[in-house]
Amino acid sequence: MSDNRRSKTVTQGVQRSPNRAMLRAVGFGDKDFDKPIVGVANAHSTITPCNMGIGALAARAEAALKKAGAMPQVFGTITISDGISMGTEGMKYSLVSREVIADSIETVCNGQSMDGVLAIGGCDKNIPGALIAMARLNIPAIFVYGGTTKPGHYKGRDLTIVSAFEAVGQYTAHKIDETELTEIERHACPGAGSCGGMYTANTMSSNAEAMGLSLMYSSTMSAEDLEKAESTAKSAEVLVNAIKKQILPRQILTRDAFENALAVTMAVGGSTNAVLHLLAIAHAAQVSLSIDDIEIIRARVPVLCDLKPSGLYVATDLHHAGGIPQVMKILLAHGALHGDALTITGQTIAEVLQDVPAEPRKDQDVIRPWDNPIYAQGHLAILKGNLAPEGAVAKITGVKLHKITGPARVFDSEEACMEAILARKIKAGDVVIIRYEGPKGGPGMREMLSPTSAIIGEGLGDSVGLITDGRFSGGTYGMVVGHVAPEAAVGGTIALVNEGDSVTIDAEQRLLQLNVNDAEIARRRAAWQPPAPRYTRGVLAKYAKLVSTASKGAVTD
């Protein structure tokens, strides 16, 4: 049972009668009032394929919770489809939705004095939103991932949503015709589930598993496979046991758990967004984690998995090769994982991995052994310099050149940049700057998948740099640097770059530099004026007032 989470008017004396009357109306019987009440945070939506199968999983969780001796109460939370809103004004709501999801789960669970919560989510912000709420609430909790989509197929190759974005650039560069562009669009997303590569949703589901708040193997299951429903039912059983034993999120979300998540992110070649979200979850859990800690983990963890966007395989291939438990066991066997970290099952990481072999199977090449990695060190690097004193996040693998110095091509919005790319005005050697797209400036820190994919599609991925105070999709790769902080909207140096200025991206030295002397930068800073807010009312206006710098996770509390 709970630590007296439920309202005394529900559980004590005559005062409980009005509450009981309303609970009877939603299905409580005489014997149900002594059972733990468990919220099922249901992110079902037909807005996106990522979430379209979640309703059935919520029903399965509800039945399993009842069978395990709890009283489930299902409530809805939201989602925004990053893939559908990408490249539009609507994308500004994507990161905002992380906060809305967290706030809604916290509001319902505390408002109804629930004893535990089982959250089911799919698209990118569902997972960190739910984990932030769990950390705030600190009642027994488990996350169930809605599952990944299976790859699409066209002309003998696997497709994902990123294939469709890159095809736009290929079409613009006259590398494919309109018929092929349309066929790629038709085949890229074959059914339910989140985007199939190691993009943000699959990265964050892997993080939830690595931190112990999801069941092992659950993060790489296909949304359409029976094992996903069975894992959901098992998650419900595990949660009821955690309520009885009072295993709480903040006992699980320790510093060691976050280091485990970062290690797994590096090993699987995960999304740059993991940095932003893990910082935010740590903030909610009151765990000390800084952007500089990412570099420490990067230096000691190799990239072991050959996964899209820059690799060959998708999440379902990783699942068949042994999934996240196989990756974790390799890390554990080589001292790169904390085995004594607790999981929601009550077992430690080492205990739940006990029967997993220490080396990957030889009949697959999705997961490499420790001594034969894809890259010797992690792929997510923190770059600093006068252009990003607080830091910026870059993927430094999957590119031929690790350093570029070139003339700045400056754009004050994603749309302006995209127009230039499609007009073929960006040339090899350019360093594209997209600013005023940060947490406050956007507001909402849009992902730049459309510009980066168009650059890749035109064949410029290895010869053009891109720097932004916005974010990147987990599907982005190339010589790209995001999360630049301080952002342009608060007067960060990125706001002071002029067209044609020399700019350096140096991944090896982890340097992001505007090659202009300090006196000139000071002169420009003195003359700079903040732009008027793009929104003055509504959700985006409130968000812009509250949101922190990206280097602290873009949190709002």
Side-chain angles (χ1 to χ4, degrees):
M1 281 293 292
S2 75
D3 55 346
N4 196 30
R5 295 282 308 177
R6 277 181 278 160
S7 168
K8 292 182 179 179
T9 59
V10 176
T11 57
Q12 292 182 358
V14 177
Q15 295 289 328
R16 68 191 178 187
S17 297
N19 309 72
R20 286 197 171 197
M22 295 190 76
L23 289 171
R24 287 183 190 279
V26 296
F28 278 64
D30 290 342
K31 296 181 179 179
D32 295 328
F33 292 102
D34 291 326
K35 297 176 182 177
I37 297 176
V38 176
V40 178
N42 177 7
H44 172 79
S45 170
T46 56
I47 286 173
T48 172
C50 308
N51 290 47
M52 63 188 278
I54 287 175
L57 297 181
R60 185 68 183 266
E62 184 179 23
L65 286 164
K66 287 181 179 178
K67 185 176 180 181
M71 281 303 291
Q73 292 192 301
V74 182
F75 62 93
T77 187
I78 68 158
T79 195
I80 296 292
S81 173
D82 288 13
I84 295 171
S85 65
M86 196 74 68
T88 74
E89 194 77 357
M91 185 64 192
K92 293 181 177 181
Y93 288 86
S94 170
L95 188 58
V96 177
S97 76
R98 185 189 75 181
E99 309 308 303
V100 176
I101 292 163
D103 291 351
S104 66
I105 295 173
E106 177 192 354
T107 299
V108 173
C109 289
N110 273 341
Q112 300 303 124
S113 302
M114 289 177 173
D115 295 294
V117 61
L118 182 151
I120 313 177
C123 199
D124 296 9
K125 308 310 173 295
N126 295 184
I127 307 155
L131 297 186
I132 288 168
M134 291 171 182
R136 290 180 190 168
L137 289 162
N138 204 34
I139 59 175
I142 195 166
F143 182 78
V144 174
Y145 185 38
T148 185
T149 189
K150 295 178 180 179
H153 301 284
Y154 179 65
K155 288 188 175 180
R157 68 183 191 270
D158 286 350
L159 300 179
T160 68
I161 184 59
V162 174
S163 306
F165 280 89
E166 291 180 0
V168 173
Q170 293 167 339
Y171 175 73
T172 302
H174 307 296
K175 294 182 177 181
I176 61 174
D177 60 20
E178 187 173 357
T179 298
E180 183 156 356
L181 174 64
T182 301
E183 289 304 311
I184 290 171
E185 174 199 312
R186 286 174 173 163
H187 292 88
C189 298
S194 298
C195 300
M198 190 47 69
Y199 311 147
T200 302
N202 285 326
T203 299
M204 294 311 300
S205 69
S206 300
N207 283 178
E209 188 173 318
M211 290 193 289
L213 280 173
S214 289
L215 297 188
M216 289 292 160
Y217 297 100
S218 65
S219 67
T220 51
M221 292 175 178
S222 166
E224 296 179 333
D225 287 348
L226 178 61
E227 64 177 348
K228 173 49 65 179
E230 293 172 343
S231 176
T232 302
K234 180 63 177 178
S235 297
E237 295 171 17
V238 167
L239 177 59
V240 173
N241 181 64
I243 293 170
K244 292 175 182 176
K245 294 184 176 180
Q246 280 301 287
I247 301 171
L248 304 178
R250 291 193 197 173
Q251 295 172 317
I252 297 168
L253 294 174
T254 61
R255 169 73 185 215
D256 284 356
F258 285 98
E259 291 190 1
N260 285 350
L262 285 167
V264 167
T265 297
M266 296 296 178
V268 301
S271 168
T272 53
N273 285 309
V275 174
L276 193 76
H277 297 323
L278 289 171
L279 289 170
I281 298 163
H283 173 80
Q286 298 181 337
V287 170
S288 176
L289 187 72
S290 79
I291 197 168
D292 295 319
D293 293 320
I294 282 78
E295 271 299 315
I296 296 171
I297 303 298
R298 185 188 74 81
R300 68 187 188 212
V301 178
V303 178
L304 298 175
C305 299
D306 190 8
L307 297 169
K308 290 181 181 295
S310 60
L312 294 176
Y313 297 104
V314 295
T316 50
D317 297 321
L318 174 60
H319 187 64
H320 297 142
I324 296 303
Q326 179 64 84
V327 176
M328 292 176 70
K329 186 58 176 278
I330 297 170
L331 297 176
L332 181 65
H334 291 87
L337 205 72
H338 299 287
D340 55 356
L342 183 66
T343 75
I344 189 63
T345 65
Q347 298 172 289
T348 65
I349 290 289
E351 288 170 340
V352 296
L353 296 175
Q354 184 174 355
D355 296 329
V356 179
E359 294 296 326
R361 299 195 321 266
K362 296 186 183 299
D363 63 347
Q364 58 79 44
D365 57 359
V366 183
I367 307 172
R368 297 278 192 90
W370 180 270
D371 59 1
N372 184 30
I374 307 291
Y375 301 103
Q377 291 185 318
H379 64 301
L380 298 182
I382 305 304
L383 276 56
K384 291 188 175 183
N386 67 359
L387 198 49
E390 291 180 15
V393 183
K395 278 186 179 179
I396 63 172
T397 53
V399 293
K400 293 178 181 178
L401 299 176
H402 288 82
K403 179 178 179 179
I404 183 171
T405 295
R409 303 297 311 280
V410 182
F411 304 94
D412 287 349
S413 70
E414 178 187 5
E415 287 86 354
C417 178
M418 194 65 184
E419 183 179 337
I421 295 169
L422 295 179
R424 309 194 74 180
K425 293 180 179 179
I426 303 302
K427 307 299 181 184
D430 287 346
V431 178
V432 174
I433 306 286
I434 307 177
R435 62 191 181 189
Y436 296 103
E437 290 286 6
K440 287 184 178 292
M445 207 179 179
R446 284 192 288 185
E447 292 180 348
M448 303 295 141
L449 181 60
S450 294
T452 57
S453 295
I455 288 170
I456 294 287
E458 289 195 21
L460 297 171
D462 291 318
S463 58
V464 169
L466 192 149
I467 300 169
T468 181
D469 52 8
R471 295 181 297 127
F472 293 116
S473 162
T476 295
Y477 62 102
M479 181 64 83
V480 296
V481 185
H483 307 204
V484 169
E487 62 175 290
V490 299
T493 308
I494 191 172
L496 311 179
V497 182
N498 288 342
E499 182 80 9
D501 281 347
S502 173
V503 173
T504 295
I505 304 170
D506 189 334
E508 292 180 353
Q509 298 298 317
R510 297 185 294 283
L511 178 68
L512 195 63
Q513 190 78 9
L514 172 62
N515 300 314
V516 172
N517 65 60
D518 291 346
E520 174 61 14
I521 291 175
R523 186 193 67 77
R524 294 181 189 181
R525 179 163 282 115
W528 178 82
Q529 293 292 323
R534 286 171 167 163
Y535 292 82
T536 57
R537 301 187 68 183
V539 171
L540 292 181
K542 288 190 288 186
Y543 182 83
K545 290 178 181 177
L546 292 171
V547 70
S548 78
T549 177
S551 65
K552 294 185 178 179
V555 297
T556 55
D557 63 343

